[in-house]
C-alpha cells in the first residue's frame, strides 16, 4: 500500500511515517514545514526506498492535485493541522485557514483523484482528529463516538469543522472515509510547546515549571507510538464511514502528571534538591476544559486494539528520549513562540 501522509514531519505524523515504513508500506510525506515541523523527525527513514517527501501546503489545491497525480496513493492519512490551543487563542485565523479550508482542499483533491481512478473501492481517506471536539467532561463519564460536539477553543472548533466536512464528503459524494479522535499524545519528537516537553525542558534548565490554574485539569494520555499503531490499523481494517475513538486509558491530572515527570527526572538526571521544587502555578488559560476521557470500547471490540504502555512506562521512555536527544530539541528552542507564554486572550 502507498499512503499519502499529510503533516508527516510533525509529531504524530512522523510517528505514523516511521512505523509505516518499518512495516514495508510506501509513504509520501506531504508537509508545509511550518514552525512545528522538523525533517529530523523522519531522518531515520528518509533514505528508505519507499519514502518520498513533498513540501506542500494543504491550502494549495493545485499542488495537492499534482502530488496525487504524480504519486497515485492508495490511501490518504490526513494529520496536517495547526494544533496548539494557546496559539489558536492568540491567532485563530491560521487555524481556520489550515484546519478548515485546508481540509476542504484536500477532500476536493481526493475526490477528484478518486473519481479519476474509477472510484476504487479499496481507496481510503483517513481523517485524524482530537477528543477536544467533544468539549469538557465533569468528574464522571467518557467520550464515545456518539458524544455531541461541543468545542470550546478556536482550535477544537476548527477540528470539529473539519470532522463535519469529512463526514459530509462521505455522505454526499461517497468518498470512502474513516475517522479517528484521539486523546492527548506524548512521546519522542514532541515539539517543545506542549505540556510534557515544556516540563522536561524547564526542569533541566532550572526554570519555573508552569502549571495552569491549580493543575486539576484531567487528560487521558496516549503514547504517540501506540497512537500510530492504532491509526494504521484503522486505515487497514476500519469500516468505511465509521469513526473510532483512540485513548490511552491513562487519565491523570496535570499536577499529578508533572509530579510524576519530576520524580522520573530526579532519578534519571539527579541534581541537588528535587525538580518538583520548580513547580509554579500560573494564571489559567481562557476556556480551559476541565477533563477529557476516551471510551475506547469500539476500537477494542471491533479491531482488537489496546495501548501497549501505561502512562508511567511511556513517561519513562519519553524522559529518557529527551535526555538522549538534546541536539534535536535545542535546535527548536529559537522557533517562534517557543518558551513564551501564549494564549492569554488579552
Amino acid at each position: 500500500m502507498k499512503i499519502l501522509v499529510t503533516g508527516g514531519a510533525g509529531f504524530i505524523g512522523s510517528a505514523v511515517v516511521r512505523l509505516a515504513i518499518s512495516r514495508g508500506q510506501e509513504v509520501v510525506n506531504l508537509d508545509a514545514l511550518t514552525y512545528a515541523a522538523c525533517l529530523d523527525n523522519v531522518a531515520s527513514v528518509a533514505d528508505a526506498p519507499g519514502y518520498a517527501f513533498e513540501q506542500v501546503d494543504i491550502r494549495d489545491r493545485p499542488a495537492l492535485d499534482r502530488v496525487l497525480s504524480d504519486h497515485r496513493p492508495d490511501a490518504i492519512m490526513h494529520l496536517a493541522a495547526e494544533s496548539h490551543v494557546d496559539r489558536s487563542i492568540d491567532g485563530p485565523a491560521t487555524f481556520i485557514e489550515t484546519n478548515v479550508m485546508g481540509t476542504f482542499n484536500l477532500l476536493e483533491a481526493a475526490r477528484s483523484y478518486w473519481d479519476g481512478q474509477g472510484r476504487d473501492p479499496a481507496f481510503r481517506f483517513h481523517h485524524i482528529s482530537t477528543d477536544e471536539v467533544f468539549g469538557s467532561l465533569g468528574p464522571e463519564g467518557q467520550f464515545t463516538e456518539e458524544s455531541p460536539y461541543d468545542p470550546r477553543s478556536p482550535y477544537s472548533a476548527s477540528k470539529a469543522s473539519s470532522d463535519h466536512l469529512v463526514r459530509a464528503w462521505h455522505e454526499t459524494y461517497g468518498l470512502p472515509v474513516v475517522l479517528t479522535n484521539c486523546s492527548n499524545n506524548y512521546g519522542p519528537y514532541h515539539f517543545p510547546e506542549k505540556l510534557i516537553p515544556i516540563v522536561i525542558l524547564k526542569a533541566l534548565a532550572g526554570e519555573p515549571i508552569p502549571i495552569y490554574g491549580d493543575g486539576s485539569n484531567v487528560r487521558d494520555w496516549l503514547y504517540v507510538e501506540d497512537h500510530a499503531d492504532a491509526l494504521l490499523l484503522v486505515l487497514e481494517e476500519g469500516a468505511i464511514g465509521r469513526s473510532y475513538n483512540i485513548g490511552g486509558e491513562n487519565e491523570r491530572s496535570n499536577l499529578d502528571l508533572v509530579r510524576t515527570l519530576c520524580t522520573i527526572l530526579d532519578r534519571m538526571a539527579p541534581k541537588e534538591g528535587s525538580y518538583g521544587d520548580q513547580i509554579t502555578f500560573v494564571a489559567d488559560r481562557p476556556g480551559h476544559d476541565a477533563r477529557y476521557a476516551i471510551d475506547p470500547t469500539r476500537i477494542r471490540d471491533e479491531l482488537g486494539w489496546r495501548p501497549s504502555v501505561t502512562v508511567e512506562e511511556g513517561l519513562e521512555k519519553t524522559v529518557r528520549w529527551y535526555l538522549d536527544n538534546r541536539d534535536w530539541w535545542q535546535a527548536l528552542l529559537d522557533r517562534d513562540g517557543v518558551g513564551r507564554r501564549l494564549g492569554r486572550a488579552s
Side-chain angles (χ1 to χ4, degrees):
M1 177 187 291
K2 181 185 285 189
I3 308 167
L4 173 68
V5 178
T6 72
F11 171 46
I12 302 174
S14 66
V16 171
V17 169
R18 294 190 303 270
L19 184 60
I21 290 291
S22 74
R23 293 179 175 178
Q25 309 281 25
E26 294 181 76
V27 173
V28 180
N29 180 357
L30 185 150
D31 201 295
L33 297 183
T34 55
Y35 80 95
C38 182
L39 285 176
D40 287 343
N41 297 3
V42 291
S44 62
V45 299
D47 295 327
Y51 176 82
F53 175 72
E54 292 277 1
Q55 185 174 351
V56 167
D57 193 313
I58 59 172
R59 294 173 294 182
D60 184 346
R61 171 63 193 279
L64 293 175
D65 289 335
R66 177 193 62 76
V67 169
L68 289 169
S69 176
D70 287 352
H71 293 280
R72 302 168 67 89
D74 304 301
I76 295 172
M77 298 184 73
H78 178 34
L79 296 104
E82 295 286 343
S83 66
H84 190 30
V85 174
D86 288 0
R87 287 181 186 264
S88 82
I89 294 170
D90 291 345
T94 302
F95 287 72
I96 302 305
E97 292 164 3
T98 298
N99 298 352
V100 181
M101 292 306 300
T103 299
F104 163 74
N105 282 331
L106 186 62
L107 284 166
E108 281 291 85
R111 181 166 71 97
S112 176
Y113 169 73
W114 181 57
D115 283 342
Q117 298 296 309
R119 296 193 156 215
D120 183 356
F123 180 77
R124 296 290 182 272
F125 185 106
H126 181 181
H127 178 64
I128 290 84
S129 189
T130 171
D131 59 358
E132 296 191 38
V133 300
F134 302 122
S136 184
L137 288 167
E140 303 295 330
Q142 295 179 310
F143 296 132
T144 71
E145 290 81 1
E146 281 72 43
S147 293
Y149 275 44
D150 187 21
R152 308 292 185 89
S153 70
Y155 162 63
S156 57
S158 70
K159 289 299 291 185
S161 299
S162 67
D163 291 9
H164 293 321
L165 288 173
V166 172
R167 289 190 174 92
W169 260 242
H170 171 62
E171 295 294 338
T172 302
Y173 304 112
L175 187 70
V177 308
V178 288
L179 301 93
T180 50
N181 296 79
C182 68
S183 57
N184 280 41
N185 279 227
Y186 70 100
Y189 300 100
H190 205 174
F191 190 76
E193 68 179 358
K194 301 292 182 74
L195 176 60
I196 288 176
I198 283 176
V199 171
I200 296 170
L201 302 191
K202 292 290 188 183
L204 293 175
E207 299 175 4
I209 299 170
I211 297 181
Y212 288 171
D214 61 4
S216 63
N217 304 76
V218 173
R219 300 293 183 262
D220 175 20
W221 292 95
L222 174 63
Y223 192 59
V224 68
E225 293 176 5
D226 277 344
H227 188 199
D229 176 60
L231 292 177
L232 289 172
L233 179 65
V234 171
L235 178 71
E236 295 169 4
E237 299 185 19
I240 295 300
R242 197 99 161 124
S243 65
Y244 297 88
N245 282 356
I246 305 171
E249 300 182 58
N250 284 300
E251 285 186 58
R252 297 291 185 279
S253 73
N254 287 347
L255 181 56
D256 286 344
L257 186 84
V258 172
R259 285 174 171 162
T260 299
L261 283 166
C262 289
T263 299
I264 294 170
L265 282 163
D266 285 340
R267 185 175 69 256
M268 290 188 176
K271 63 161 192 167
E272 185 176 345
S274 171
Y275 290 101
D277 298 336
Q278 296 169 225
I279 293 174
T280 305
F281 296 95
V282 301
D284 208 350
R285 73 179 175 212
H288 196 178
D289 293 335
R291 175 172 169 262
Y292 306 143
I294 286 278
D295 179 352
T297 300
R298 177 177 291 178
I299 192 170
R300 182 177 64 238
D301 290 354
E302 294 186 10
L303 303 182
W305 183 87
R306 294 196 78 158
S308 70
V309 298
T310 66
V311 70
E312 288 78 15
E313 292 167 337
L315 291 176
E316 293 259 353
K317 291 174 181 254
T318 301
V319 171
R320 173 49 59 198
W321 189 88
Y322 277 87
L323 291 173
D324 292 344
N325 291 274
R326 291 173 183 262
D327 289 348
W328 178 85
W329 53 261
Q330 285 177 335
L332 302 178
L333 296 183
D334 291 333
R335 293 198 180 184
D336 179 50
V338 176
R340 177 167 56 88
R341 174 69 194 270
L342 304 170
R344 293 179 183 270
S346 61

